[in-house]
Amino acid sequence: MAAIVRRQRQRRRVCWALVAVLLADLLALSDTLAVMSVDLGSESMKVAIVKPGVPMEIVLNKESRRKTPVIVTLKENERFFGDSAASMAIKNPKATLRYFQHLLGKQADNPHVALYQARFPEHELTFDPQRQTVHFQISPQLQFSPEEVLGMILNYSRSLAEDFAEQPIKDAVITVPVFFNQAERRAVLHAARMAGLKVLQLINDNTATALSYGVFRRKDINTTAQNIMFYDMGSGSTVCTIVTYQTVKTKEAGMQPQLQIRGVGFDRTLGGLEMELRLREHLAGLFNEQRKGQRGKDVQENPRAMAKLLREANRLKTVLSANADHMAQIEGLMDDVDFKAKVTRVEFEELCADLFERVPGPVQQALQSAEMSLDEIEQVILVGGATRVPKVQEVLLKAVGKEELGKNINADEAAAMGAVYQAAVLSKAFKVKPFVVRDAVVYPILVEFTREVEEEPGVHSLKHNKRVLFSRMGPYPQRKVITFNRYSHDFNFHINYGDLGFLGPEDLRVFGSQNLTTVKLKGVGDSFKKYTDYESKGIKAHFNLDESGVLSLDRVESVFETLVEDSPEEESTLTKLGNTISSLFGGGTTPDAKENGTDTVQEEEESPAEGSKDEPGEQVELKEEAEAPVKDASQPPPPEPKGDAAPEGEKATEKENGDKSEAQKPSEKAEAAGPEGIPPAPEGEKKQKPARKQRMVEEIGVELVVLDLPDLPEDKLARSVQKLQDLTLRDLEKQEREKAANSLEAFIFETQDKMYQPEYKEVSTEEQREEISGKLSATSTWLEDEGFGATTAMLKEKLAELRKLCQGLFFRVEERKKWPERLSALDNLLNHSSMFLKGARLIPEMDQIFTEVEMTTLEKVINETWAWKNATLAEQAKLPATEKPVLLSKDIEAKMMALDREVQYLLNKAKFTKPRPRPKDKNETRAEPPLNASASDQEEKVIPPAGQTEDAEPISEPEKVETAGSEPGDTEPLELGGPGAESEQREQSTGQKRPLKNDEL
């Protein structure tokens, strides 16, 4: 018995431990449910969040604006972000960085680097000797890479989202331009890692916009394809996208809406920024003309003046979109000289005439990549802030040949809303309606390799081969497998971009290196030596183009195959039973074998690579990894005996894991027993099984040589992460110090003002007020003279000293403010308690529910409270107002709580006490009949109705009724609650009897 009790206690402990773990997991999950999206534009960013109870909401920044400028000001001991940094751009343009995204993934010789330096000459750029990338040299001690600056912006966006969501956030979806190549996308991922963000996906901004449009118009999507063109002109670039919407049938959720990117066109430098720069140059020329006779300096040589002109050009561009002309004016542009000039919309359009001619370019590129015509486009929708320029709309409308342009989408927030919807889908913490997204590859990727071939006997030559891995406008995410059939030794192959002929000469120079990676394989020859008796099935390289559009090489394997005949020896009965049980309970191979890292290769259909023109037997085979097994139509399955067929699910599993070694298939013979695990037929009836294929997989060593842009070494990445964390801690310390200084200054001003108020004068002497005022003045002087160099601890110490000095004064004032309310509440409670006690004593003794002790206790508490109140008020009246009071509000509250507790106890007792049973009245009771009385002498007994409880009076024996034809001694009792009971009650009430029917006897 004791052992059983101990086991039960152990089980309880285990159960409680499991409950504690589950609760901890739930609490941790509740703290990380919120996810965010960052629409990272060239000029501004929009942040959106999703959390329980807040579906897809745009985050407001500290200025309560929905859009935050992507600007950061870096000084020696502080940083500024957003609108604060934008205002600092005028004072310190060299330390204020903007439009730095144009330098991500760019090396020193890239044309965009020279263009950035021409646009913003105030920035000093240095170069990394190892990676050949650029850095911002703020000062001799401050140097930051574009990735680090972007990491600061992402960290700031997360702080805004966390303040808005009121919980920590780590998961994010970030938008990137569709024209970002592999190097630029990896740079964004490095920046997010520096900021401590977990990137769920890098989503193209045009795809996010299309997703937002489709999600809010789900009901309008049907099986008929709808082709929509989105024309997005932002601050830095222009993108045109053709999207097809229609419903498709999915395996998981049936018919669901889908968007497919069909065509993409872009212009990297066409946007609102270029228009503003044209306006800035125009305004600078007007200012120089106005000062031509004054021998003044050229305004373009003054960075502060050019920053003012750029800000005015931005405002001017916005105003001219709605007005024919406007007056540009800047107070104190340079050398305290004001600037004022009139600019018309016609002049603005003339300045940007060549830019407006480039507006139709992305449209034509998108149509060509989609292989569509304008007649197939149902609607053209405008996105981006620069599309608000009237001339842009005019040229675009003429180019697309439509009646009007669609403006039924939020041009600023559409991408952020689409990205946060995707974040909710990927977070797995929210249940959202499915929406299938099929993005498209913009830059094709191919594999190149060189192999020695023998064209003639004894004549060898090198042959260069190219195989397209991911074709242009092909869908992604996607996995591909390429097989090299003619290699038995270590070799190299190259991963490069494919045909980029759709890019112009200038775009190709901006694009950078067209070579991605050189892959060096090691261990191929060793694998052939290890499996000499096996037939080689080639060297298989597995590639993955993930949701972010980043290419990776998962693994390289050497695959071998041979035919194995099953042993004719009969298995033992225990082995058969074990194999049968394993097959019944899923002990065989599972489709998750690949995910669990087992050495398996799917037996899938392998087709020649696109554009392959090699002779048979020399092809490099390329295949796409499917999620479900695909039957090979070219090779029929081996014949199997009748009655030995396995279920379809087992066939699919066996096919998907057909590369298992003999040791990994212990249940091979058990599967031949039939779908239900029936024991095999006798030995004479069994048929010989054909030989089966056995595959062996050997992992091949891989060495990657990145050619486009070397990744950040881990040590440099760790230093960058630490640098950003130190800056964040410094900012937090600065905020804490500013908060302490503000609190000290506010306390000084408020207390100095209180010294002249009547309620404070009443409870203080002249000496006390002079002492406090002197201390306040001394602290204020110290704060003005030495406060800038004071630490947070010093400021808090000064504040604590002042509060301690003024504590007695403030306490007396607060107590006097509370007295009227507290005393009034105490009087009301005493009066009500006395009335309650008086009423309780008036209850008759037979109905009394309170004991004498209880009522005496309540009376004692009431009397003591009255006595304490009167005595304390009398004592307080004798004290001067400047002394510490003896009548304290906390004492009044304690007395009220004690009295209220006694009253509530009696009230609860009265509420739940059952009333005592009252004695019967003499008029309603009847004496019991004598024992020798006959049945006829007894009075009729009342039969209670159905459902009456036994708490009432005891039920008497029912009356005996004689029926016709029965003996005098025969009786038939009536059923309680039936018709007889109801009639009996009516007879008793009326004093008459009705004749009984036969069915009531």
Side-chain angles (χ1 to χ4, degrees), residues 693-713:
K693 293 182 180 180
Q694 175 181 334
R695 280 197 173 189
M696 302 299 293
V697 177
E698 183 75 12
E699 194 79 18
I700 302 299
V702 177
E703 179 184 351
L704 300 179
V705 180
V706 180
L707 302 177
D708 56 347
L709 181 67
D711 288 336
L712 274 173

Side-chain angles (χ1 to χ4, degrees), residues 195-259:
L197 280 176
K198 178 184 176 183
V199 179
L200 300 177
Q201 180 181 347
L202 294 181
I203 186 171
N204 295 331
D205 48 12
N206 62 335
T207 305
T209 301
L211 178 59
S212 175
Y213 180 86
V215 165
F216 291 103
R217 291 164 180 80
R218 179 185 294 267
K219 296 181 180 179
D220 300 334
I221 302 175
N222 49 40
T223 54
T224 304
Q226 305 176 33
N227 299 320
I228 307 295
M229 175 182 288
F230 294 93
Y231 192 87
D232 181 5
M233 180 181 286
S235 176
S237 59
T238 299
V239 176
C240 181
T241 310
I242 299 176
V243 184
T244 298
Y245 294 96
Q246 66 180 132
T247 54
V248 295
K249 188 175 183 179
T250 61
K251 296 180 181 179
E252 297 82 6
M255 297 296 292
Q256 296 296 334
Q258 170 189 276
L259 72 85

Side-chain angles (χ1 to χ4, degrees), residues 38 40 79 100-101 103-105 131 145-158 170 172 174-176 180 183-199 202 711-712 716-717 720-722 724-725 728:
V38 183
L40 202 61
R79 294 184 301 174
F100 50 83
Q101 304 97 311
L103 301 179
L104 289 172
R131 303 178 67 218
S145 65
E147 291 88 347
E148 291 173 342
V149 179
L150 180 58
M152 299 178 194
I153 292 293
L154 293 177
N155 192 28
Y156 176 68
S157 68
R158 180 176 65 175
K170 293 184 179 179
I174 304 174
T175 66
V176 294
F180 264 23
E184 292 167 315
R185 292 174 186 270
R186 295 200 305 270
V188 176
L189 292 177
H190 288 155
R193 184 175 172 185
M194 294 176 188
L197 280 176
K198 178 184 176 183
V199 179
L202 294 181
D711 288 336
L712 274 173
K716 284 191 174 182
L717 185 59
S720 297
V721 171
Q722 187 63 40
L724 265 61
Q725 289 179 352
T728 302

Side-chain angles (χ1 to χ4, degrees), residues 7 34 93 189 257 279 295 386 435 503 568 575 588 595 680 742 829 852 975 999:
R7 286 197 297 270
L189 292 177
L279 271 176
R295 296 182 182 181
F435 202 107
L503 296 178
T575 304
E595 297 181 4
N742 293 335
L829 183 59
E852 185 63 28
E975 295 183 1
D999 57 353

Side-chain angles (χ1 to χ4, degrees), residues 20-309:
V21 171
L22 291 175
L23 287 176
D25 292 341
L26 288 175
L27 292 175
L29 181 62
S30 64
D31 291 338
T32 58
L33 282 180
V35 293
M36 61 178 287
S37 70
V38 183
D39 178 21
L40 202 61
S42 297
E43 184 179 17
S44 60
M45 67 177 177
K46 278 75 64 181
V47 182
I49 65 163
V50 171
K51 75 169 188 175
V54 182
M56 296 200 306
E57 181 67 24
I58 295 293
V59 172
L60 302 180
N61 60 16
K62 295 179 180 179
E63 290 77 18
S64 298
R65 296 178 56 188
R66 301 170 71 88
K67 183 166 59 174
T68 304
V70 183
I71 307 176
V72 55
T73 300
L74 301 171
K75 301 176 71 175
E76 292 293 339
N77 56 354
E78 57 185 345
R79 294 184 301 174
F80 298 95
F81 295 96
D83 295 293
S84 301
S87 62
M88 290 294 296
I90 307 299
K91 302 177 183 178
N92 195 349
K94 182 180 179 180
T96 302
L97 306 179
R98 59 175 73 183
Y99 301 105
F100 50 83
Q101 304 97 311
H102 299 170
L103 301 179
L104 289 172
K106 304 291 193 305
Q107 293 185 326
D109 57 350
N110 195 291
H112 262 198
V113 176
L115 178 63
Y116 186 89
Q117 208 150 18
R119 287 175 170 178
F120 307 101
E122 63 271 13
H123 296 314
E124 181 182 353
L125 299 181
T126 59
F127 304 100
D128 185 353
Q130 295 181 357
R131 303 178 67 218
Q132 294 300 314
T133 54
V134 298
H135 287 78
F136 293 101
Q137 192 73 38
I138 309 298
S139 67
Q141 294 78 23
L142 290 180
Q143 178 178 312
F144 298 97
S145 65
E147 291 88 347
E148 291 173 342
V149 179
L150 180 58
M152 299 178 194
I153 292 293
L154 293 177
N155 192 28
Y156 176 68
S157 68
R158 180 176 65 175
S159 67
L160 294 178
E162 289 178 344
D163 292 343
F164 192 82
E166 298 178 348
Q167 60 178 281
I169 298 178
K170 293 184 179 179
D171 300 339
V173 170
I174 304 174
T175 66
V176 294
V178 66
F179 50 77
F180 264 23
N181 55 27
Q182 294 292 313
E184 292 167 315
R185 292 174 186 270
R186 295 200 305 270
V188 176
L189 292 177
H190 288 155
R193 184 175 172 185
M194 294 176 188
L197 280 176
K198 178 184 176 183
V199 179
L200 300 177
Q201 180 181 347
L202 294 181
I203 186 171
N204 295 331
D205 48 12
N206 62 335
T207 305
T209 301
L211 178 59
S212 175
Y213 180 86
V215 165
F216 291 103
R217 291 164 180 80
R218 179 185 294 267
K219 296 181 180 179
D220 300 334
I221 302 175
N222 49 40
T223 54
T224 304
Q226 305 176 33
N227 299 320
I228 307 295
M229 175 182 288
F230 294 93
Y231 192 87
D232 181 5
M233 180 181 286
S235 176
S237 59
T238 299
V239 176
C240 181
T241 310
I242 299 176
V243 184
T244 298
Y245 294 96
Q246 66 180 132
T247 54
V248 295
K249 188 175 183 179
T250 61
K251 296 180 181 179
E252 297 82 6
M255 297 296 292
Q256 296 296 334
Q258 170 189 276
L259 72 85
Q260 181 179 2
I261 306 297
R262 299 290 301 278
V264 175
F266 55 86
D267 190 327
R268 280 179 175 259
T269 57
L270 177 62
L273 174 61
E274 187 64 29
M275 300 178 191
E276 295 170 12
L277 292 173
R278 301 281 180 93
L279 271 176
R280 184 184 70 171
E281 300 301 322
H282 177 65
L283 296 177
L286 293 178
F287 182 75
N288 287 334
E289 288 181 3
Q290 293 178 5
R291 302 187 62 203
K292 191 173 183 180
Q294 303 177 8
R295 296 182 182 181
K297 296 181 181 179
D298 187 357
V299 70
Q300 297 184 358
E301 298 177 0
N302 190 319
R304 291 187 178 183
M306 294 302 288
K308 294 179 181 179
L309 287 174

